[in-house]
Amino acid sequence: QWYQRRVRECTVRREDAASEATSKLREMNSQAGEIEGKISDLAELSEETNAALKEKESDINALKEGLTAVIEGDRTTADEIEKIVEKIEALSLPLSQSALNNLVEDLI
């Protein structure tokens, strides 16, 4: 009798331990599923962020190209203005009619 009671107690303890381990395993599996879901969400968010950054990079590059073109145009205009000023400064005053006509032609 004593032996049978001990066997039952051991069996009950083992069943309890097995139930507890099974419960913990289920909880861990559930947590693992949640973690996998979060990782998947983060990966998707990362892809979306990278796509948005690439798009913004493209927009910035287009803006830089546009600004470069404007700056180059301004430089060309400034060079042209400087040449005109040099021509005007090189003239002796009062201007003759032909010199005035030449100046007007240069400005047009």
Side-chain angles (χ1 to χ4, degrees), residues 1-9:
Q1 249 184 355
W2 175 83
Y3 178 74
Q4 289 176 347
R5 197 174 27 194
R6 288 301 262 170
V7 168
R8 276 189 231 131
E9 288 174 3

Side-chain angles (χ1 to χ4, degrees), residues 48 54 59 78 88 92-94 97 102:
E48 291 171 359
K54 285 181 183 178
D59 293 346
I88 291 172
S92 57
L93 297 178
Q97 187 64 38
N102 288 341

